[in-house]
Amino acid sequence: MVTSKGYFGPFGGIFVPETLVPACRELAIAFQRCRKDKKFLSEFHSLLCEFAGRPTALTFCQNLSKKLGCKLFLKREDLAHTGAHKINNALGQALLAKHMGKTRLIAETGAGQHGVATATASAKLGMKCDIFMGTVDIERQKPNVVRMKLLGANVIPVSSGSKTLKDAINDALRDWTASVETTHYLLGSVLGPHPYPGMVAFFQSVIGREARKQILKEAGQLPDAIIACVGGGSNAIGIFNAFLKDASVALIGVEAGGKGISTHHHAARFADPAAGRPGIIHGTKTFVLQDKDGQIANTHSISAGLDYSAVGPEHSFLRQLKRAQYGFATDGEALEGFQALSKEEGIIPALESAHAVGYLLKHKSNFKNKLVLINLSGRGDKDLDTAVKEIGLDN
Ligand SMILES: *Cc1c(COP(=O)(O)O)cnc(C)c1O
């Protein structure tokens, strides 16, 4: 649904310094060429199947379905290599960069998940890799820092500003301005300037294509509702895309409600009308959490992957069109989803994905007798420390 200039209705576009416009343009042209190139697509498909473990399973949740009075299926992105959907996009962009003749990948990372996916793709494709990461995040996310180093990536500490994700993005963009001849900037979600939002959606759309086939085969019908958590929004767009034309399928994105919408400690760009408004951030026009002067607001979520002040422009447009609807789950509701899925189904989800489960638990009366498909974006191994702290499992 993206225009050639990168607009989704009034959202999207290219809002970058003039020095970066040629890089975005070169990338857009290369992507247009590769998305139609049989050789590129078949290489991408092989990487997804032989390296990343696709197709991922579709799992029927017998126990939770009985409890909730609906029929619940999960699309199991937690089973993809490195434990989440992020690998789909990392492999797609790394391969594209290689076809463009680039030899080096750079990326920003907050919790380290996108850094690990990028380092993995760059090891597989034999490219150099530099990951920008705030010093506060380096301290908080040691295991992922070790993973990236093992995978051969160089982790570059960023000590400006709040020493977290948004500062790492600024440094990565600055690096790219100076290094674009050899370097591709591998962005992690459906965010940033054109062509990133549409391109990341394209690389993630394999999720929805597989899920559509699988659920038609397993259940003999399309789902009544699809629920996915929304940070930047790439796993949600990845599954929504294949169902956009099926008007009977409700598409539901779940944002991080943090400690509650009224507390302002959340990352719910759509659910908080006082703070979520269209604005421009990191190269794109979309819904951004901001104060009344337009300063980007700080966000809070128990899950690092949902803790970002903006949402991808395509989601802003789907919401305006009323094709998708957006709700939220608080930290506490996500923890309930986290425990329910673990105990009832034997699947420990990422805390991000647990927001989708928490949303279903909270609104279960809306889904009586419905066929519900949740995109389980990742696995929860990375969240065990948080779980111990929040649930109190260590005694
Ligand atoms: C990064 C991440 C997310 C959030 O990113 P989206 O672009 O919104 O999909 C969600 N779930 C998991 C497991 C993640 O690692």
Side-chain angles (χ1 to χ4, degrees):
M1 41 196 315
V2 62
T3 66
S4 61
K5 292 208 160 50
Y7 277 91
F8 303 87
F11 304 106
I14 305 187
F15 295 89
V16 294
E18 225 167 296
T19 45
L20 268 181
V21 173
C24 293
R25 197 166 293 151
E26 180 196 357
L27 183 60
I29 290 167
F31 171 58
Q32 280 313 324
R33 191 177 66 237
C34 282
R35 71 182 294 171
K36 292 180 207 126
D37 175 14
K38 284 213 177 78
K39 181 162 168 283
F40 176 86
L41 293 174
S42 111
E43 278 174 44
F44 181 44
H45 184 72
S46 298
L47 280 169
L48 289 178
C49 296
E50 289 154 28
F51 182 65
R54 306 207 70 90
T56 57
L58 183 80
T59 300
F60 177 58
C61 296
Q62 204 152 6
N63 305 323
L64 264 185
S65 292
K66 204 179 275 173
K67 276 212 159 156
L68 299 173
C70 66
K71 260 200 234 170
L72 174 62
F73 284 85
L74 305 176
K75 178 61 173 160
R76 300 289 307 280
E77 292 304 292
D78 60 313
L79 296 177
H81 182 42
T82 67
H85 67 293
K86 287 192 168 76
I87 192 71
N88 305 324
N89 170 52
L91 286 169
Q93 284 194 50
L95 186 65
L96 176 63
K98 205 158 183 182
H99 276 247
M100 292 171 76
K102 313 282 177 191
T103 53
R104 174 175 173 256
L105 299 175
I106 56 172
E108 81 296 333
T109 197
Q113 298 301 109
H114 176 55
V116 169
T118 302
T120 301
S122 91
K124 177 67 180 166
L125 293 177
M127 302 176 82
K128 272 196 283 214
C129 183
D130 288 322
I131 304 290
F132 292 85
M133 191 168 186
T135 48
V136 168
D137 289 331
I138 289 179
E139 207 41 54
R140 284 195 290 210
Q141 310 289 345
K142 285 231 169 90
N144 276 341
V145 174
V146 173
R147 282 186 190 104
M148 287 185 263
K149 288 182 176 168
L150 268 174
L151 292 160
N154 186 18
V155 179
I156 301 179
V158 176
S159 52
S160 53
S162 60
K163 309 179 179 24
T164 58
L165 180 64
K166 55 182 193 295
D167 314 288
I169 297 178
N170 289 333
D171 275 25
L173 281 170
R174 199 167 307 131
D175 179 299
W176 199 34
T177 308
S179 65
V180 62
E181 227 158 272
T182 60
T183 300
H184 172 66
Y185 178 23
L186 206 158
L187 209 147
S189 190
V190 285
L191 293 161
H194 177 64
Y196 284 101
M199 179 172 73
V200 175
F202 177 81
F203 291 134
Q204 292 292 5
S205 63
V206 63
I207 303 173
R209 275 197 309 278
E210 286 175 8
R212 198 172 197 285
K213 259 189 231 154
Q214 289 167 316
I215 199 133
L216 283 172
K217 180 152 175 270
E218 297 281 316
Q221 64 169 95
L222 290 173
D224 297 305
I226 298 178
I227 309 178
C229 66
V230 178
S234 68
N235 86 86
I237 288 289
I239 195 159
F240 288 177
N241 252 343
F243 300 88
L244 286 179
K245 292 191 182 125
D246 304 303
S248 68
V249 181
L251 305 175
I252 303 168
V254 182
E255 299 186 287
K259 297 188 187 307
I261 300 302
S262 60
T263 67
H264 304 295
H265 291 284
H266 62 74
R269 291 74 37 118
F270 291 141
D272 184 354
R277 291 193 306 280
I280 288 169
I281 182 170
H282 294 134
T284 191
K285 184 171 179 199
T286 188
F287 268 69
V288 186
L289 277 180
Q290 49 196 305
D291 68 13
K292 57 185 190 320
D293 301 322
Q295 291 294 324
I296 309 299
N298 284 326
T299 55
H300 166 88
S301 169
I302 193 168
S303 61
L306 303 186
D307 205 350
Y308 181 65
S309 41
V311 59
E314 189 167 6
H315 285 290
S316 294
F317 190 40
L318 286 173
R319 178 170 177 266
Q320 181 178 303
L321 293 173
K322 298 194 162 58
R323 177 60 194 97
Q325 62 200 75
Y326 295 84
F328 66 90
T330 62
D331 291 351
E333 289 158 354
L335 281 166
E336 276 171 37
F338 181 82
Q339 292 177 86
L341 202 64
S342 302
K343 267 189 209 148
E344 303 288 341
E345 299 295 337
I347 297 168
I348 301 176
L351 278 172
E352 288 83 359
S353 329
H355 282 72
V357 183
Y359 179 90
L360 174 63
L361 298 179
K362 172 164 63 164
H363 297 290
K364 62 177 186 254
S365 59
N366 295 350
F367 297 97
K368 280 276 175 271
N369 300 319
K370 303 277 194 212
L371 182 61
V372 179
L373 172 58
I374 285 183
N375 194 21
L376 204 75
S377 54
R379 67 177 180 227
D381 305 46
K382 66 184 179 58
D383 298 316
L384 297 185
D385 284 350
T386 309
V388 167
K389 214 165 57 201
E390 300 286 336
I391 308 171
L393 297 165
D394 52 352
N395 46 37

